[in-house]
Amino acid sequence: MLLRALELVFFFYFASHIPITLFIDLQALLPEHVFPQAFKDVLRWYASEFRDPMVLDPPVWFKSFIFCEALVQLPFFPVAAYAFFKGGCRWIRTPAILYSVHVATSLIPILSHVLLYNFPLAPHPGPQTSKERWALVSIYAPYLIIPLMLLLTMLFSSTYNSVSPSAKASSKSKKRK
């Protein structure tokens, strides 16, 4: 029951990440004219509301993470969404481990930047108070927490971490010969 609940969390995480990447995150890499005004407005609202200047004026290192998101992660999102919607797909284990380690690792510099960097006030003000910093951390935190939950599930769940019955039978027959 708990495993199925986690699988559904992973499904919604990956399924929701597709439009977020396509319509919001990729604005940091692609020319402005590619996106409809409504998506540009959503990004500006978010940046203003949560004082996240990285999305409007991304540093090169942040762009490199978005590039990885577009090139590596985006093709994986529908595959992972399918696997976790279906549930119990052992073949997702290794790609999910690779994804979760990559994303969790990339969140360390992002969260460090949010918490420790002294953001300039203009042209796109970043968080200045502890409250503003923690509000922005709360936006990024699910992209650390859920991949860590995914990693732990893939490593410790008997459904994803055990040898399949057919592989066990094949292994036993090889030992007999």
Side-chain angles (χ1 to χ4, degrees):
M1 182 78 157
L2 175 61
L3 178 60
R4 187 62 191 144
L6 283 171
E7 288 172 331
L8 291 174
V9 167
F10 301 149
F11 163 73
F12 285 112
Y13 170 84
F14 286 112
S16 69
H17 215 65
I18 296 167
I20 292 169
T21 299
L22 288 173
F23 304 127
I24 304 299
D25 296 350
L26 288 181
Q27 288 187 52
L29 297 180
L30 299 176
E32 191 174 310
H33 72 272
V34 171
F35 298 94
Q37 189 61 45
F39 295 137
K40 293 186 274 189
D41 291 345
V42 168
L43 183 66
R44 284 188 185 86
W45 168 84
Y46 160 78
S48 172
E49 184 70 23
F50 292 98
R51 297 183 66 93
D52 188 351
M54 291 185 293
V55 297
L56 293 178
D57 188 18
V60 173
W61 63 266
F62 190 75
K63 282 184 179 182
S64 72
F65 290 149
I66 296 170
F67 181 77
C68 288
E69 181 180 358
L71 189 67
V72 178
Q73 296 174 33
L74 184 58
F76 178 66
F77 294 155
V79 173
Y82 168 79
F84 291 114
F85 181 75
K86 187 174 178 190
C89 297
R90 293 172 196 241
W91 52 264
I92 197 67
R93 182 177 188 266
T94 299
I97 290 171
L98 293 171
Y99 168 83
S100 62
V101 169
H102 166 70
V103 172
T105 302
S106 70
L107 260 290
I108 301 302
I110 292 170
L111 293 174
S112 297
H113 187 71
V114 168
L115 289 170
L116 303 173
Y117 181 69
N118 288 324
F119 290 92
L121 292 174
H124 307 291
Q128 301 298 312
T129 66
S130 291
K131 182 180 177 182
E132 291 171 345
R133 288 180 190 278
W134 285 107
L136 187 53
V137 164
S138 72
I139 297 296
Y140 284 104
Y143 301 102
L144 174 63
I145 295 166
I146 293 175
L148 289 176
M149 290 169 45
L150 178 61
L151 177 63
L152 294 173
T153 302
M154 295 299 107
L155 292 176
F156 298 112
S157 166
S158 60
T159 298
Y160 291 100
N161 196 23
S162 64
V163 178
S164 68
S166 62
K168 283 182 185 177
S170 173
S171 175
K172 285 181 183 179
S173 68
K174 286 180 184 177
K175 287 181 184 177
R176 287 185 205 144
K177 293 181 181 182

